[in-house]
Amino acid sequence: MSMDDAARSDDDIVVSVLEGRTRDYEVLIRRYSRRITLFVARMIGDNDEARSIAQDVFLKIYENLPYYRRENNFSAFIFKVARNMALNYIKRRRRTVLFSRLLGRDLDRAPFRQDPPRLLELERGEREGELNRQLRRLSEEQRLALVLKVYLEFSYRQIREVTGWSVPKIETLISRAKSRLKKNLRLQENGGKAVNPAREQ
Amino acid sequence: MNCRRITRRLSSWQDGELDAARSREVERHLRDCPACRGRWAGLRELQQQLLLEPPPADDPFLAARVMARLRPRPLRGGRLLRAAAWAAVFAAVSVGGFLLQAALAGNGAPAPAASYSSVLLEPQEFGLLAVHDDFLDLFNGGGREAR
């Protein structure tokens, strides 16, 4: 990215792309790719899959650029799309796991496998780190708020632009997510069983 | 301020989301309350652990992959006007060229034949092949004998 590109605002680049200068879209991709990949990775707990979803996010954003309004924040716009795609992936994965369990199939052998079976999950847990696994145990709302705050360093107001939630709700979600993680990690260290986060949201 | 209220505010304080007056209250309480200081230490420890988690490796080819799959947008606004201007220039050059050619063809060239049949009845030279009336008669009903 050149100095000129770095100085251009997101909105200017969007206008340029909409006028037909497609190559300018690359500036936006380079500007956001690292953060979008990180965001999706923390949301779904899978770094490899996050890269593929990040690619789809940018394709989707390009298709939907005509619907972006300049009075909105482009950063919020792109993270909204990323959030939706990450949550869709989580739902799809959950459905696949449920479906496979109902059929009594071994997910590892099934050709349509999207989520690894329990044994592979243990290996993957080791690979990706305990914290990532614990993040996946939070409710989707708690995880979304916490990831935006801790990893993307969004303010509560910026989180509100992405999620549409009120600031007090965001405050509560983050606070509960932190205390849940604290409990889970300590219990994990002592060999105990983790608390079910969905019950206490 | 009691510990319960402080506990609720600790997370927002850590996130830098409390106003100055509330931040001072939290700080004052933490100085006097070892239990809340313990909770605060736990939050700090958690934050450090969360940030220890390595981020996904950068994907240097992401932009190239996305760009390769984009469909170019139809021309809009300024580009459309520019394209229309080029089209007008092209049309003007074409018409001018056509008129010039017509003008040059009119100077010194033989007068055009009055009709199609007159062209057929006059001897025509096409390189080595000379077309004469006899030959043309073959196409006009079988030759002179037949007439």
Side-chain angles (χ1 to χ4, degrees):
Chain A
M1 202 167 15
S2 71
M3 288 294 285
D4 289 345
D5 287 337
R8 293 170 73 188
S9 75
D10 291 345
D11 284 349
D12 286 346
I13 298 169
V14 170
V15 169
S16 174
V17 174
L18 286 175
E19 282 177 353
R21 284 179 285 273
T22 307
R23 289 180 66 86
D24 281 2
Y25 191 60
E26 194 170 346
V27 180
L28 284 178
I29 300 173
R30 295 199 184 283
R31 194 172 284 182
Y32 283 97
S33 63
R34 196 185 59 79
R35 281 184 287 167
I36 290 293
T37 309
L38 173 65
F39 170 70
V40 176
R42 291 294 178 261
M43 282 300 293
I44 68 172
D46 186 330
N47 288 353
D48 296 333
E49 200 64 45
R51 284 189 209 105
S52 161
I53 294 175
Q55 177 181 320
D56 292 343
V57 167
F58 286 107
L59 288 170
K60 187 141 193 144
I61 291 282
Y62 180 79
E63 293 299 321
N64 287 286
L65 271 189
Y67 307 107
Y68 167 66
R69 297 280 165 267
R70 284 193 77 173
E71 61 268 22
N72 297 332
N73 182 348
F74 183 77
S75 170
F77 177 68
I78 195 170
F79 275 98
K80 264 185 209 171
V81 174
R83 174 203 64 183
N84 291 342
M85 295 188 77
L87 292 180
N88 284 343
Y89 172 82
I90 292 168
K91 278 180 196 147
R92 216 168 47 236
R93 184 170 62 187
R94 199 180 296 142
R95 267 204 305 272
T96 310
V97 171
L98 184 69
F99 183 63
S100 306
R101 278 181 189 157
L102 283 172
L103 287 177
R105 287 195 183 186
D106 183 349
L107 284 171
D108 197 29
R109 288 180 192 168
F112 53 85
R113 181 174 72 80
Q114 290 191 10
D115 195 44
R118 195 166 283 276
L119 275 175
L120 279 184
E121 201 166 84
L122 285 174
E123 291 169 15
R124 200 173 67 166
E126 286 172 10
R127 196 174 68 239
E128 290 178 1
E130 180 59 23
L131 269 167
N132 226 352
R133 217 153 62 87
Q134 290 300 341
L135 276 174
R136 286 172 66 180
R137 290 183 166 197
L138 296 175
S139 74
E140 283 165 10
E141 288 190 340
Q142 285 180 353
R143 199 183 327 158
L144 176 58
L146 188 79
V147 166
L148 287 173
K149 179 70 225 173
V150 173
Y151 294 105
L152 280 305
E153 296 178 349
F154 276 29
S155 69
Y156 288 179
R157 281 187 182 178
Q158 287 172 312
I159 296 173
R160 186 181 63 184
E161 284 178 3
V162 175
T163 61
W165 300 329
S166 67
V167 169
K169 177 174 177 173
I170 293 163
E171 209 168 1
T172 307
L173 283 171
I174 292 177
S175 173
R176 288 187 180 167
K178 285 177 184 173
S179 71
R180 195 78 53 246
L181 275 177
K182 249 168 51 175
K183 278 182 193 169
N184 283 0
L185 288 167
R186 285 196 179 159
L187 282 172
Q188 205 66 37
E189 281 166 14
N190 299 333
K193 196 174 180 181
V195 176
N196 179 6
R199 284 173 54 196
E200 293 194 42
Q201 191 209 333
Chain B
M1 193 181 278
N2 61 32
C3 292
R4 203 170 162 181
R5 279 178 68 186
I6 285 290
T7 306
R8 278 208 305 267
R9 287 183 180 174
L10 271 180
S11 166
S12 305
W13 184 60
Q14 181 183 36
D15 293 339
E17 296 280 347
L18 285 188
D19 57 37
R22 285 183 176 175
S23 294
R24 273 197 300 275
E25 282 178 37
V26 172
E27 287 162 18
R28 209 176 304 134
H29 183 89
L30 285 180
R31 270 201 298 271
D32 302 332
C33 178
C36 286
R37 273 205 302 277
R39 290 188 194 100
W40 166 236
L43 277 177
R44 272 193 311 184
E45 190 189 346
L46 175 69
Q47 181 87 1
Q48 285 164 0
Q49 284 195 37
L50 284 172
L51 294 175
L52 278 180
E53 188 72 7
D58 273 344
D59 183 352
F61 305 112
L62 177 69
R65 280 203 312 273
V66 174
M67 293 305 290
R69 289 178 61 181
L70 295 186
R71 281 176 300 175
R73 293 196 173 280
L75 297 176
R76 277 177 56 176
R79 290 200 74 188
L80 191 61
L81 282 175
R82 232 178 302 154
W86 278 112
V89 167
F90 178 74
V93 168
S94 303
V95 170
F98 177 76
L99 290 175
L100 185 66
Q101 190 182 19
L104 289 175
N107 291 340
S115 65
Y116 177 68
S117 57
S118 65
V119 170
L120 288 179
L121 291 174
E122 287 169 10
Q124 305 285 326
E125 290 289 340
F126 296 105
L128 294 173
L129 178 65
V131 180
H132 296 284
D133 289 351
D134 294 349
F135 183 74
L136 288 171
D137 280 346
L138 290 172
F139 296 97
N140 293 331
R144 283 176 185 166
E145 288 91 344
R147 263 190 276 167

